[in-house]
Amino acid sequence: MYSMLVLAAATVPTTIEWSPKVALIMILCNIVAIVFGKLTIAKPSEGPGLPSPNMFGGMGLGALLGTTSFGHILGAGVILGLASSGAL
């Protein structure tokens, strides 16, 4: 069992360090996710509102949290994919 854990830990690639490029990719992925959510969520203004509702086009708190969660998942995938391909 212990040797399997050591083997699994040895095959995990190192992750890329934070840089302004990584931050820019994450920001862009979150913007893409918010736009995608705004266009596809049936009732984006349901639930509690935001303090500045005009900033995100009338999205509610639930829609904003959902889209930014999706944006972070998308961003992590894009960053890991670009790092493993050597493009980042």
Side-chain angles (χ1 to χ4, degrees):
M1 178 77 169
Y2 180 72
S3 62
M4 293 296 286
L5 291 175
V6 171
L7 181 62
T11 59
V12 174
T14 58
T15 57
I16 190 165
E17 293 185 19
W18 184 90
S19 69
K21 288 180 185 179
V22 172
L24 182 63
I25 291 170
M26 185 61 77
I27 290 168
L28 290 175
C29 286
N30 276 288
I31 290 171
V32 167
I34 290 171
V35 170
F36 181 74
K38 183 67 180 160
L39 295 174
T40 59
I41 296 175
K43 296 181 183 178
S45 60
E46 289 289 316
L50 297 172
S52 179
N54 295 332
M55 180 178 271
F56 293 103
M59 289 180 87
L61 180 63
L64 182 65
L65 288 175
T67 55
T68 54
S69 296
F70 172 63
H72 277 76
I73 293 169
L74 181 67
V78 169
I79 290 167
L80 289 173
L82 288 174
S84 69
S85 70
L88 187 60

